[in-house]
Amino acid sequence: MSGNNGICYEKSLEYWADVPPTVDGVLGGFGYISQEDIHGSLLFLKALFSLEHPPASRTALDCGAGIGRITKYVLLPYFGTVDIIEPDEKFIKAIPEFVGENRTKLGSLYRESLQEFSPDKKYDLIWNQWVLGYLTDDDFVSYLVRCKNSLAENGVIVIKENVTSSGKVEKDEVDSSVTRPLKQFLKLFKAAKLKRIKQSIQTNFPNGLYPVYMFALVPITNDTSYEKEMLDTTPV
Ligand SMILES: C[S@@+](CC[C@H](N)C(=O)[O-])C[C@H]1O[C@@H](n2cnc3c(N)ncnc32)[C@H](O)[C@@H]1O
């Protein structure tokens, strides 16, 4: 792939270690967009459950979960069990209380970074939001390959991330992350042998923020299925 974009994993972890375990904290001071974000995510998830071959609703995985915002509002209402990956200890500890009454449906809470994580079970849905910008391109691809290999039948990987409009990778020195252009995401999905079956852009976010894309990805089953990608971009 194309290098590490200057990403430093230690610097990202140090940044998050100083952030309070609140919705506003995990959203970098943009806590007020959480409700709209959850609304868009729920519409996207419902569209996936309406597919001809929808994912089952047994087990989901929330990756780079912070305090479990997506787990609580998007995943736990629809899945029997939700597992979590999150490297920051204080965020992990905050999850059960933040999740509240549905905490009994929490599964394994892995205190790990995505670049080191190797799932050892099958998931119906793997949700990655506002976290893949912390990974180098190489680790992004190898992590997605591991996710792909741990999908249950009809399983789907969801990616919800900021996307640049400049067509370039833009670096944030403060938390050592990058924001990628659409073409870079597509290149990395292809390298991981994943294809998009659905793509939407989050609506009703305030002006001035990066566009936020939601991608639903499934394995490419043969060499020609990438070219025949049947992409549904109808708004959710
Ligand atoms: C912007 S917050 C998003 C949290 C959550 N996905 C949400 O939308 O509420 C980014 C999260 O990614 C975590 N993170 C940073 N680098 C990571 C890495 N290499 N692997 C896994 N998680 C990481 C941080 O600790 C933080 O919880």
Side-chain angles (χ1 to χ4, degrees), residues 182-190 196 199 215 226:
L182 183 60
K183 65 178 180 207
Q184 185 72 1
F185 278 102
L186 302 191
K187 188 173 148 191
L188 300 178
F189 298 160
K190 193 172 182 181
R196 294 167 296 166
Q199 175 179 302
F215 305 101
Y226 191 78

Side-chain angles (χ1 to χ4, degrees), residues 16 26 64-66 69-70 86-87 91 113-115 129-131 134:
W16 286 106
V26 295
R69 195 180 62 89
I70 299 153
E86 169 54 49
F91 287 166
S113 292
L114 300 189
Q115 67 274 15
Q129 180 162 350
W130 286 325
V131 66
Y134 294 101

Side-chain angles (χ1 to χ4, degrees), residues 207-226:
N207 290 336
L209 300 185
Y210 283 117
V212 176
Y213 279 60
M214 292 174 266
F215 305 101
L217 307 174
V218 299
I220 296 173
T221 46
N222 61 51
D223 286 346
T224 56
S225 72
Y226 191 78

Side-chain angles (χ1 to χ4, degrees), residues 42-109:
L42 286 171
L43 292 177
F44 195 73
L45 181 60
K46 283 177 191 160
L48 298 182
F49 282 133
S50 304
L51 290 169
E52 193 184 340
H53 301 289
S57 49
R58 281 182 291 267
T59 311
L61 178 63
D62 184 0
C63 305
I67 58 170
R69 195 180 62 89
I70 299 153
T71 290
K72 175 173 180 170
Y73 296 115
V74 180
L75 302 175
L76 280 174
Y78 291 94
F79 290 87
T81 305
V82 178
D83 286 356
I84 281 180
I85 318 171
E86 169 54 49
D88 186 82
E89 187 177 14
K90 117 187 93 41
F91 287 166
I92 287 265
K93 283 189 174 155
I95 289 169
E97 193 181 334
F98 177 74
V99 160
E101 63 180 22
N102 265 338
R103 74 181 71 178
T104 51
K105 291 167 78 185
L106 287 172
S108 303
L109 307 188

Side-chain angles (χ1 to χ4, degrees), residues 170-200:
E170 296 178 16
K171 177 93 201 284
D172 183 334
E173 297 295 345
V174 177
D175 65 354
S176 194
S177 67
V178 292
T179 303
R180 297 177 166 93
L182 183 60
K183 65 178 180 207
Q184 185 72 1
F185 278 102
L186 302 191
K187 188 173 148 191
L188 300 178
F189 298 160
K190 193 172 182 181
K193 295 204 168 7
L194 288 163
K195 64 177 178 178
R196 294 167 296 166
I197 52 166
K198 182 154 187 67
Q199 175 179 302
S200 297

